[in-house]
Amino acid sequence: MQEAADFFKSRQPVNLAVVLTNIAVFIILSILGDTTSGYFMVMHGANYAPYVVEAGEYYRLITCMFMHFGIQHLFNNMLVLVFLGDELEKLGGKLCYLVIYLVGGIAGNLISVIYDMQTGAYSVSAGASGAIFSVIGALLAIVLLNRGKIPSYTKRRMFLMASLSLLQGLTSSGVDNCAHIGGLLAGFVLAMLFHRKLTFGSKIPVEDFREDF
């Protein structure tokens, strides 16, 4: 019990709130029905291009970020988010993390909708992976901008993480790769835009951060 309490105390507050929100939504949906059913999920806010574009249900770009197809889908995403999200929040701060997570996730879902409308290959999509890829993209940008000032991450490690994550999605079935790629690019761009206004990490003064570039 004490170990669990210590674990929660060591987490970053905004990221922890995001993780707990995802878990809470999953529990509620599991009580209401079958989270592995595409029909059930789309009826409760999952992303579906025709509903977003033709019916104007733009809220789906947000709600789908907190929905998961089954416990394994939830577990895999939250396990990654707990650690990477904490790292981004520590480096960029609460607001930076939240903006990158939400805006990056929405951007990924929007690109997914555009792709589906262009190809006519409609599918129901849900999950936090687009937002998580936005976090990965932001961490990659921060590592590049800081040139080794972040001990926990190196350029090689971040490139490898991003590449393997994308490769896993591209070689697996039932994965919304457009949301992954869109989220990764959005997070990278957002971090690049924010870096002159924010101090990435309490030990990196803004002046030092800028002098390297």
Side-chain angles (χ1 to χ4, degrees), residues 25-69:
V25 170
F26 180 78
I27 292 173
I28 293 171
L29 290 176
S30 296
I31 293 172
L32 295 175
D34 182 8
T35 59
T36 64
S37 165
Y39 177 78
F40 173 80
M41 293 291 276
V42 80
M43 289 298 101
H44 288 82
N47 196 16
Y48 186 59
Y51 287 5
V52 174
V53 176
E54 297 171 6
E57 297 177 358
Y58 306 114
Y59 65 86
R60 292 179 180 274
L61 299 174
I62 300 174
T63 55
C64 73
M65 293 164 53
F66 298 92
M67 304 173 67
H68 290 83
F69 289 105

Side-chain angles (χ1 to χ4, degrees), residues 11-123:
R11 298 298 97 194
Q12 296 297 306
V14 176
N15 188 51
L16 179 59
V18 170
V19 170
L20 293 178
T21 300
N22 276 277
I23 294 173
V25 170
F26 180 78
I27 292 173
I28 293 171
L29 290 176
S30 296
I31 293 172
L32 295 175
D34 182 8
T35 59
T36 64
S37 165
Y39 177 78
F40 173 80
M41 293 291 276
V42 80
M43 289 298 101
H44 288 82
N47 196 16
Y48 186 59
Y51 287 5
V52 174
V53 176
E54 297 171 6
E57 297 177 358
Y58 306 114
Y59 65 86
R60 292 179 180 274
L61 299 174
I62 300 174
T63 55
C64 73
M65 293 164 53
F66 298 92
M67 304 173 67
H68 290 83
F69 289 105
I71 187 66
Q72 191 64 45
H73 188 202
L74 174 73
F75 178 79
N76 291 342
N77 277 345
M78 293 305 101
L79 182 62
V80 175
L81 183 59
V82 161
F83 297 103
L84 293 186
D86 268 18
E87 193 65 32
L88 179 58
E89 188 172 338
K90 284 189 289 186
L91 292 170
K94 297 179 179 63
L95 180 60
C96 175
Y97 164 76
L98 190 60
V99 170
I100 288 173
Y101 183 88
L102 292 176
V103 175
I106 292 171
N109 292 329
L110 182 58
I111 290 175
S112 177
V113 166
I114 293 172
Y115 176 82
D116 281 6
M117 293 302 293
Q118 289 293 323
T119 62
Y122 305 131
S123 60

Side-chain angles (χ1 to χ4, degrees), residues 120-154:
Y122 305 131
S123 60
V124 179
S125 64
S129 54
I132 293 172
F133 267 91
S134 181
V135 171
I136 294 174
L139 287 172
L140 178 59
I142 293 171
V143 168
L144 292 175
L145 289 168
N146 281 274
R147 292 183 182 178
K149 287 185 178 179
I150 302 175
S152 301
Y153 293 89
T154 63

Side-chain angles (χ1 to χ4, degrees), residues 140-176:
L140 178 59
I142 293 171
V143 168
L144 292 175
L145 289 168
N146 281 274
R147 292 183 182 178
K149 287 185 178 179
I150 302 175
S152 301
Y153 293 89
T154 63
K155 288 186 288 185
R156 179 178 297 179
R157 180 180 178 184
M158 286 308 306
F159 273 118
L160 183 62
M161 181 187 299
S163 299
L164 289 178
S165 298
L166 286 173
L167 181 61
Q168 182 181 17
L170 291 170
T171 56
S172 303
S173 59
V175 176
D176 191 347

